[in-house]
Amino acid sequence: MLQLSFLIKLSFLNNTKTKINNLAIKTTMSSKESNLEELANEYKNRSPVAIIKFALENFDNIAISFSGAEDVVLIDMATKFKSDVKVFSLDTGRLHAETYRFIEQVREHYNIEIDVLSPDSESVQNLVREKGLYSFYNDGHKECCGIRKVIPLRQKLISLDAWVTGQRKDQSPDTRNDVPVVERDDAFSTIDKELIKFNPLSNWSSADVWEYIRSNDVPFNALHQQGYISIGCEPCTRAVLPNQHEREGRWWWEEATQKECGLHAGNVKQKS
Amino acid sequence: MLQLSFLIKLSFLNNTKTKINNLAIKTTMSSKESNLEELANEYKNRSPVAIIKFALENFDNIAISFSGAEDVVLIDMATKFKSDVKVFSLDTGRLHAETYRFIEQVREHYNIEIDVLSPDSESVQNLVREKGLYSFYNDGHKECCGIRKVIPLRQKLISLDAWVTGQRKDQSPDTRNDVPVVERDDAFSTIDKELIKFNPLSNWSSADVWEYIRSNDVPFNALHQQGYISIGCEPCTRAVLPNQHEREGRWWWEEATQKECGLHAGNVKQKS
Amino acid sequence: MLQLSFLIKLSFLNNTKTKINNLAIKTTMSSKESNLEELANEYKNRSPVAIIKFALENFDNIAISFSGAEDVVLIDMATKFKSDVKVFSLDTGRLHAETYRFIEQVREHYNIEIDVLSPDSESVQNLVREKGLYSFYNDGHKECCGIRKVIPLRQKLISLDAWVTGQRKDQSPDTRNDVPVVERDDAFSTIDKELIKFNPLSNWSSADVWEYIRSNDVPFNALHQQGYISIGCEPCTRAVLPNQHEREGRWWWEEATQKECGLHAGNVKQKS
Amino acid sequence: MLQLSFLIKLSFLNNTKTKINNLAIKTTMSSKESNLEELANEYKNRSPVAIIKFALENFDNIAISFSGAEDVVLIDMATKFKSDVKVFSLDTGRLHAETYRFIEQVREHYNIEIDVLSPDSESVQNLVREKGLYSFYNDGHKECCGIRKVIPLRQKLISLDAWVTGQRKDQSPDTRNDVPVVERDDAFSTIDKELIKFNPLSNWSSADVWEYIRSNDVPFNALHQQGYISIGCEPCTRAVLPNQHEREGRWWWEEATQKECGLHAGNVKQKS
């Protein structure tokens, strides 16, 4: 029945593989939010595979966001039970050569199409003409990330009902303390359309992810063999020392609390 | 007098610094071409500095094309007598990290604005979605160069009356045997507008260029310290062995005669 | 009184800085061993600095073994209260260029003399002539380590009464479970002379060591910025992946239980 | 006839493959020298292969000196007509990892024994204890080269009647203007024993050597793909810029005229 929130429906119909139609999403915000919390609560101790399975079985119009780093495990898990998984990557135009090679390797290894999104050329040109190629070292990474990552992401997400990310609580103690396995995406939902965000790896540690990669012979970015843990754009990523937190390899010239690129802006917003 | 071709005018008024107005360009093709040949002949034994000086003094609407490699000497020469030199670079989105750093270094060192041009995002996305990030290894570099270099260049050149390039005869024995120091740009002139191309380094050898760089403390791309001579996009450039021709470091999987990216397509066209 | 073992003496006279004379060492083995155990027990919860201080204050003829890796903290700690600390390193002839540079950096930074020990040239030549430069990949690292590390070490240790090492329990779960902070060195003591080995970092984790390095601005080997944790000879060391145990970066083609080079052979012996 | 110098004999018996016996060497210096000059004159326009062939056919007790660089062509040429060629290399203990790997690769590729010579450990230790690991940057490379290269070489050469080197005139304009294809080795001959030195590549240019390497699929040191031309010890070698002379990649902090390590000391001596 259409009055029921899609989430109640989801929790009941989990195994019936009934697809959500768009109408189901148009329930009242309050009921949906509480239902999302219930769902997150129900799944918070489930395995990443179970969460991905639930996500892909209940949303047709869903895609995995792949950063070219260890979130490749999402693709590995998803392709084990669904061959035509939708995947997208944000090509900022400033990725490491190793990352481009890895994205291609993943495309071929899993035989999937990866939608590699480019930023708007005019916006990039204007920024670079005015401020040069490394403005982020002077006035912060937000402007550049906005143009090269967030706007292309927003345009992509408008076309989706849900997306799957690789973010984990342990990635950023300051900003990611509270990453539910599923949530309403407050940063990218619009008045017209709610967007659901799944974070299947939320409760996994970095060690869990790497155990999975090595046990399952998952391909990985060659930078991981050179001291890199977290991987973003080339000028904004560096290798870390032994036992240094991975987040210190990103935007290291900025304060710890600002180390989100805008993809998961909700995390920071919740703090303030 | 307006009936005179700008080139006759140029050769007479070389030292008077009279600017060419656009009308001067609208002479008949035949007379212009022979005049360009005369001019090229007159300047073919002149120094690169003399050629650049001539170019910049006679064209207001002229820009230097900077690839992020040893053509930095053009900028070094030009900025010695003109502070507001127009420079543009083609950012294909696939340059080496070292090249991005070098472009920024040049921008700051010479205190110039560099117009860094990005390819159309939709064209790039379509190519990558369909063929992946390394299609050029399979079906040749022309398609990718077309989208990432030639179209942005064409759009830029439409706005110019003349451009200055770093191409030299010795760069590519097969395709650049005949690079005049100044020529009508057959590849990028349109029915509505003729484009003049200056090649001040045409007769310089690689050794000449490097002697200039070292004698004048010109900054250079760090890749040149790692065995790279010719520098283009990261996946399509490699270091060469001692005494290996620099062109073997570019598109090495293709035939020697096809090793032009389209920026100087006229070179290849003349051969066929 | 001379009849007392040096160790009883040590535990009582800890703060009096009375130097041990050689006669004191000549007590019966049994009493010494139990005394060493007592001492180890007494110091097992003391800080590394306290252990080093005790060691250097009670032994004149003592030296720190420096591998060119994170055991630099021993030197940092020791030089804070003793300027003429004796330090030695084993130069196998196959160290990374980065390690040679780091040893020199440490020498200059702390203004200390480092005795850099080379293997016997004839032994090296014979091994290489017979088996080439990479025999260890085929028949194990013991033979090469024996010639390039263990024999030079043995020759050095003969001249010492005690040495200080950087070994820690957490470095090698299989072989270093039981590393007392001070022990009789069973591998290098001779019939004529007992050798004491101090392991001040035994109970520190890798994270403790790196917190110390970063808090105290201790210089470190540049390889640590390229994914290396444990550092030995170049052909026998590699960077590890995120969350991979540091010991997997050493002699990775051999079984985990054999991953000791002979410097701390006692560890393995105790297991068998 | 025994009274004839071996060299006259050699020039006559070139094709008879008669071996030189040691008595032949004991002629008077003056006649020998002029004969060597004659021989050098006769062979100066012959191919490197012809010179190597002559050398190996006329001396039993002869070895090729292999530096781990492009002098690998000597081995390639020699092994084509003689399977048990004697080869030696000077392992200074400070070579690049790439060079050690290349020496091993050559050993396996040509299935030859390479006598890899190590310096005297005590001499190295004394130098390093007193002056550190980079004394050459302060007081010149002669002392370190003396210990790590020249003395081990001298010891090796004492056992030989002749050696074959890869030195070329074009390697060092200042010191190698006059490199005969065969000469009495003035630096390493002793009162008791004359040593003959063959320089088969003397008249080849760097371009010739590299054409040979690439045409014959000769293995080469991986450093040559990173901008290195001349290759010596790691701290004393660097990549050069395009068109920079290879000798600028060696001991670059010293005067050009001093850039010989002592292996070919005669070259410098002749100048002074």
Side-chain angles (χ1 to χ4, degrees):
Chain A
M1 190 190 145
L2 292 181
Q3 260 60 21
L4 286 174
S5 98
F6 81 98
L7 286 161
I8 293 176
K9 202 169 158 190
L10 284 180
S11 30
F12 284 109
L13 302 180
N14 189 4
N15 295 318
T16 67
K17 305 192 182 187
T18 305
K19 299 297 173 182
I20 303 303
N21 66 52
N22 283 338
L23 288 178
I25 293 179
K26 286 174 189 142
T27 55
T28 62
M29 190 68 99
S30 58
S31 73
K32 266 187 302 179
E33 287 205 339
S34 65
N35 290 328
L36 268 169
E37 276 174 32
E38 270 177 46
L39 184 69
N41 206 45
E42 185 190 334
Y43 270 81
K44 76 178 172 191
N45 295 321
R46 302 291 297 275
S47 72
V49 171
I51 299 164
I52 293 177
K53 211 164 178 229
F54 174 87
L56 297 187
E57 285 175 352
N58 286 286
F59 286 83
D60 267 346
N61 195 19
I62 188 172
I64 296 173
S65 169
F66 173 46
S67 76
E70 81 274 44
D71 54 356
V72 63
V73 300
L74 297 171
I75 296 174
D76 189 84
M77 291 169 175
T79 51
K80 279 182 177 153
F81 58 88
K82 191 170 196 293
S83 60
D84 59 338
V85 176
K86 284 185 208 157
V87 177
F88 68 89
S89 287
L90 300 167
D91 172 10
T92 63
R94 298 294 287 277
L95 302 181
H96 293 82
E98 290 87 348
T99 301
Y100 289 115
R101 281 195 280 275
F102 180 49
I103 292 172
E104 182 71 5
Q105 186 187 0
V106 168
R107 195 179 77 100
E108 290 177 358
H109 183 84
Y110 294 104
N111 194 26
I112 52 173
E113 188 176 288
I114 300 181
D115 200 13
V116 179
L117 307 171
S118 295
D120 176 62
S121 58
E122 208 173 339
S123 304
V124 170
Q125 282 171 202
N126 289 342
L127 172 63
V128 174
R129 192 184 299 112
E130 191 192 344
K131 299 190 175 181
L133 285 156
Y134 297 86
S135 62
F136 32 82
Y137 291 147
N138 295 321
D139 54 14
H141 70 277
K142 286 287 155 65
E143 185 177 14
C144 189
C145 279
I147 291 168
R148 293 183 188 264
K149 282 182 158 178
V150 182
I151 293 173
L153 175 65
R154 186 179 300 280
Q155 286 171 339
K156 177 69 183 180
L157 293 179
I158 282 168
S159 71
L160 297 174
D161 295 331
W163 61 313
V164 184
T165 88
Q167 68 174 335
R168 306 189 315 270
K169 283 181 197 151
D170 82 339
Q171 283 173 320
S172 189
D174 292 308
T175 61
R176 296 190 182 178
N177 279 331
D178 188 34
V179 176
V181 298
V182 58
E183 61 184 325
R184 180 181 184 276
D185 189 331
D186 289 334
F188 293 103
S189 289
T190 63
I191 294 171
D192 299 326
K193 185 158 167 201
E194 180 164 65
L195 181 74
I196 305 300
K197 178 157 77 164
F198 288 92
N199 307 302
L201 305 176
S202 173
N203 298 309
W204 265 21
S205 66
S206 177
D208 292 331
V209 172
W210 280 97
E211 194 186 311
Y212 182 92
I213 289 174
R214 292 164 69 201
S215 306
N216 292 274
D217 283 328
V218 176
F220 51 81
N221 192 320
L223 291 172
H224 290 306
Q225 286 173 312
Q226 299 169 42
Y228 289 76
I229 305 180
S230 179
I231 297 174
C233 285
E234 187 277 336
C236 295
T237 303
R238 61 174 182 182
V240 291
L241 290 172
N243 297 292
Q244 196 172 16
H245 191 277
E246 65 180 87
R247 215 61 187 172
E248 297 190 62
R250 301 291 297 280
W251 308 298
W252 52 92
W253 62 94
E254 300 184 18
E255 288 305 310
T257 50
Q258 300 173 357
K259 291 187 180 179
E260 291 288 348
C261 64
L263 270 60
H264 307 296
N267 298 340
V268 175
K269 209 163 48 191
Q270 288 160 9
K271 305 283 126 189
S272 56
Chain B
M1 190 190 145
L2 293 182
Q3 260 60 22
L4 286 174
S5 97
F6 82 100
L7 286 162
I8 294 175
K9 202 171 159 189
L10 285 179
S11 32
F12 284 110
L13 302 180
N14 188 4
N15 295 318
T16 69
K17 305 192 184 188
T18 306
K19 301 295 176 184
I20 304 302
N21 66 52
N22 283 338
L23 289 177
I25 292 178
K26 287 171 190 144
T27 54
T28 61
M29 191 67 99
S30 58
S31 72
K32 267 187 300 180
E33 289 205 339
S34 64
N35 290 328
L36 268 169
E37 275 175 32
E38 271 177 46
L39 183 68
N41 206 44
E42 186 190 333
Y43 270 81
K44 75 178 173 191
N45 295 320
R46 302 290 298 274
S47 72
V49 171
I51 298 164
I52 293 177
K53 210 164 180 230
F54 174 87
L56 297 187
E57 285 175 352
N58 286 286
F59 285 83
D60 267 346
N61 195 18
I62 187 173
I64 295 173
S65 170
F66 173 46
S67 75
E70 80 275 44
D71 54 356
V72 63
V73 301
L74 297 172
I75 296 174
D76 189 84
M77 290 168 174
T79 52
K80 279 182 177 156
F81 58 88
K82 191 170 196 294
S83 60
D84 59 337
V85 175
K86 284 185 209 158
V87 177
F88 68 89
S89 286
L90 299 167
D91 172 9
T92 63
R94 300 294 287 278
L95 302 181
H96 293 83
E98 290 86 349
T99 301
Y100 288 115
R101 282 195 279 274
F102 180 50
I103 292 173
E104 183 70 5
Q105 185 187 3
V106 168
R107 195 179 79 99
E108 291 176 359
H109 183 85
Y110 293 104
N111 193 26
I112 52 171
E113 187 176 288
I114 300 181
D115 201 12
V116 179
L117 307 171
S118 295
D120 176 62
S121 57
E122 207 172 340
S123 304
V124 170
Q125 282 170 203
N126 289 343
L127 172 63
V128 174
R129 190 183 300 113
E130 190 192 346
K131 298 190 175 181
L133 284 156
Y134 297 87
S135 62
F136 31 81
Y137 290 147
N138 295 321
D139 54 14
H141 69 277
K142 287 285 155 69
E143 185 176 16
C144 188
C145 279
I147 291 168
R148 294 184 187 263
K149 283 182 158 179
V150 182
I151 292 173
L153 174 65
R154 187 180 300 279
Q155 285 171 340
K156 176 69 182 180
L157 294 178
I158 283 168
S159 70
L160 298 174
D161 295 331
W163 64 310
V164 184
T165 88
Q167 67 172 336
R168 306 187 317 269
K169 282 180 197 154
D170 82 339
Q171 283 174 320
S172 189
D174 291 307
T175 61
R176 296 190 183 180
N177 278 331
D178 187 34
V179 176
V181 298
V182 57
E183 61 184 325
R184 179 180 185 276
D185 190 332
D186 290 333
F188 293 102
S189 290
T190 62
I191 294 172
D192 299 326
K193 186 156 167 202
E194 179 165 68
L195 180 74
I196 305 300
K197 178 158 77 163
F198 289 91
N199 308 303
L201 305 176
S202 172
N203 298 309
W204 265 20
S205 66
S206 175
D208 293 331
V209 172
W210 279 97
E211 194 186 310
Y212 182 93
I213 288 174
R214 292 164 67 201
S215 306
N216 292 275
D217 284 327
V218 176
F220 52 81
N221 192 321
L223 291 173
H224 289 305
Q225 286 173 311
Q226 300 168 41
Y228 288 77
I229 305 180
S230 179
I231 297 174
C233 285
E234 187 277 335
C236 296
T237 303
R238 61 174 182 182
V240 290
L241 290 171
N243 298 292
Q244 197 173 15
H245 192 278
E246 64 179 87
R247 215 62 188 171
E248 298 190 61
R250 302 291 297 279
W251 307 299
W252 53 92
W253 62 94
E254 301 183 17
E255 286 305 309
T257 50
Q258 301 172 355
K259 293 187 180 179
E260 291 288 349
C261 65
L263 269 61
H264 308 296
N267 298 339
V268 177
K269 208 163 50 193
Q270 287 160 9
K271 304 282 126 188
S272 53
Chain C
M1 192 189 145
L2 292 181
Q3 261 60 20
L4 287 172
S5 98
F6 83 98
L7 285 161
I8 293 175
K9 202 170 158 188
L10 284 180
S11 30
F12 283 110
L13 302 179
N14 189 3
N15 294 320
T16 69
K17 305 193 184 189
T18 307
K19 299 296 175 185
I20 303 301
N21 67 49
N22 283 339
L23 288 178
I25 293 179
K26 288 175 189 142
T27 54
T28 61
M29 190 66 99
S30 58
S31 73
K32 266 187 303 178
E33 289 205 337
S34 64
N35 290 327
L36 268 169
E37 275 175 31
E38 271 177 45
L39 184 68
N41 206 43
E42 185 191 333
Y43 270 81
K44 75 177 176 193
N45 295 320
R46 303 290 299 272
S47 72
V49 170
I51 298 164
I52 294 177
K53 212 165 178 230
F54 174 86
L56 297 187
E57 284 175 351
N58 286 287
F59 286 83
D60 267 346
N61 196 17
I62 188 173
I64 295 173
S65 169
F66 173 47
S67 74
E70 80 275 44
D71 54 356
V72 63
V73 301
L74 297 171
I75 297 174
D76 189 83
M77 290 169 175
T79 52
K80 280 183 176 154
F81 59 88
K82 192 171 196 292
S83 61
D84 59 339
V85 176
K86 284 186 209 156
V87 177
F88 68 89
S89 286
L90 299 168
D91 172 9
T92 63
R94 299 293 288 277
L95 302 180
H96 294 81
E98 288 87 348
T99 301
Y100 289 115
R101 282 195 279 274
F102 180 50
I103 291 173
E104 183 71 6
Q105 186 187 3
V106 168
R107 196 179 78 98
E108 292 177 356
H109 183 85
Y110 293 104
N111 194 26
I112 52 172
E113 189 177 287
I114 300 181
D115 201 12
V116 179
L117 308 172
S118 294
D120 177 61
S121 57
E122 208 172 337
S123 304
V124 170
Q125 282 171 203
N126 290 342
L127 172 63
V128 174
R129 192 184 298 112
E130 191 192 344
K131 298 191 175 180
L133 285 156
Y134 297 86
S135 62
F136 31 82
Y137 290 146
N138 294 320
D139 54 14
H141 69 280
K142 286 285 154 68
E143 185 176 15
C144 189
C145 279
I147 290 169
R148 294 184 187 262
K149 282 182 159 178
V150 182
I151 292 173
L153 175 66
R154 186 180 300 279
Q155 286 171 340
K156 177 69 183 179
L157 293 179
I158 282 168
S159 71
L160 297 174
D161 295 331
W163 63 312
V164 184
T165 87
Q167 66 173 336
R168 305 188 317 269
K169 282 181 197 151
D170 81 338
Q171 283 173 319
S172 189
D174 292 308
T175 61
R176 296 189 181 179
N177 278 332
D178 188 32
V179 176
V181 297
V182 58
E183 60 183 326
R184 179 180 185 276
D185 189 332
D186 290 334
F188 292 103
S189 291
T190 63
I191 294 171
D192 299 326
K193 186 157 168 202
E194 179 165 64
L195 181 73
I196 305 300
K197 178 158 76 165
F198 288 92
N199 308 304
L201 305 176
S202 173
N203 298 310
W204 266 21
S205 65
S206 175
D208 293 331
V209 173
W210 280 98
E211 194 186 310
Y212 182 93
I213 288 174
R214 293 164 68 200
S215 305
N216 292 274
D217 283 327
V218 176
F220 52 80
N221 191 322
L223 291 172
H224 290 306
Q225 286 173 311
Q226 299 168 42
Y228 288 77
I229 305 179
S230 179
I231 296 174
C233 286
E234 187 276 336
C236 296
T237 303
R238 61 174 182 181
V240 289
L241 290 172
N243 298 292
Q244 196 173 16
H245 192 276
E246 64 179 88
R247 216 62 188 172
E248 297 190 62
R250 302 290 297 281
W251 308 299
W252 53 93
W253 62 94
E254 300 183 19
E255 286 306 308
T257 51
Q258 300 173 356
K259 292 186 180 179
E260 290 288 348
C261 65
L263 270 60
H264 307 297
N267 298 340
V268 175
K269 209 164 45 191
Q270 288 160 7
K271 305 282 127 192
S272 54
Chain D
M1 191 190 143
L2 293 181
Q3 260 59 21
L4 287 173
S5 97
F6 82 99
L7 286 160
I8 293 176
K9 203 170 157 188
L10 284 179
S11 31
F12 283 110
L13 303 179
N14 190 2
N15 295 318
T16 68
K17 306 195 182 185
T18 306
K19 299 295 174 185
I20 304 302
N21 66 51
N22 282 338
L23 288 177
I25 293 178
K26 288 177 189 140
T27 55
T28 63
M29 191 67 100
S30 57
S31 73
K32 266 188 304 179
E33 288 205 338
S34 65
N35 289 329
L36 268 168
E37 275 174 31
E38 270 177 47
L39 183 67
N41 206 43
E42 187 190 333
Y43 271 81
K44 75 177 176 193
N45 295 320
R46 302 290 298 274
S47 72
V49 171
I51 298 164
I52 293 177
K53 211 165 179 227
F54 174 87
L56 296 187
E57 285 175 350
N58 286 287
F59 286 83
D60 267 346
N61 196 17
I62 187 171
I64 295 172
S65 169
F66 173 47
S67 74
E70 80 275 45
D71 53 357
V72 63
V73 301
L74 297 172
I75 297 174
D76 188 83
M77 290 169 175
T79 52
K80 280 183 175 153
F81 59 88
K82 193 171 195 294
S83 60
D84 59 338
V85 176
K86 285 186 209 156
V87 177
F88 69 89
S89 286
L90 299 168
D91 172 10
T92 63
R94 299 293 287 277
L95 303 181
H96 293 81
E98 289 87 348
T99 301
Y100 288 115
R101 281 195 279 275
F102 179 50
I103 292 173
E104 182 71 4
Q105 185 187 3
V106 168
R107 196 179 78 100
E108 291 177 358
H109 183 85
Y110 294 104
N111 194 25
I112 52 171
E113 188 176 288
I114 300 181
D115 201 13
V116 179
L117 307 171
S118 294
D120 176 61
S121 58
E122 208 173 337
S123 305
V124 170
Q125 283 171 203
N126 289 342
L127 172 63
V128 174
R129 191 184 299 112
E130 191 191 344
K131 299 191 174 180
L133 285 156
Y134 297 86
S135 62
F136 32 82
Y137 290 146
N138 295 321
D139 54 14
H141 69 278
K142 287 285 155 67
E143 185 177 16
C144 189
C145 279
I147 291 167
R148 294 184 187 263
K149 283 182 160 180
V150 181
I151 293 173
L153 175 65
R154 187 180 301 281
Q155 285 171 338
K156 177 68 181 180
L157 294 179
I158 282 168
S159 71
L160 298 174
D161 295 331
W163 64 311
V164 184
T165 88
Q167 67 173 336
R168 305 188 317 268
K169 283 180 196 153
D170 81 339
Q171 282 173 321
S172 189
D174 292 308
T175 61
R176 296 189 182 178
N177 278 331
D178 189 32
V179 176
V181 297
V182 58
E183 60 183 326
R184 180 183 184 273
D185 189 333
D186 290 334
F188 293 102
S189 290
T190 63
I191 295 170
D192 299 326
K193 185 154 165 205
E194 180 165 65
L195 181 73
I196 305 300
K197 179 158 77 164
F198 288 92
N199 308 303
L201 306 176
S202 174
N203 298 309
W204 265 22
S205 65
S206 175
D208 292 332
V209 172
W210 280 97
E211 195 186 309
Y212 182 92
I213 289 174
R214 293 164 68 203
S215 305
N216 292 274
D217 283 328
V218 176
F220 52 80
N221 192 320
L223 291 172
H224 289 305
Q225 286 173 311
Q226 300 169 40
Y228 289 76
I229 304 180
S230 180
I231 296 173
C233 286
E234 187 277 335
C236 296
T237 303
R238 62 174 180 181
V240 290
L241 290 172
N243 297 292
Q244 197 172 14
H245 192 276
E246 65 180 86
R247 215 62 189 171
E248 296 190 63
R250 301 291 297 280
W251 307 299
W252 51 93
W253 61 95
E254 301 183 18
E255 288 305 308
T257 51
Q258 300 172 357
K259 292 186 181 180
E260 290 287 348
C261 64
L263 270 61
H264 308 297
N267 298 340
V268 176
K269 209 164 46 191
Q270 288 161 7
K271 306 281 127 191
S272 54

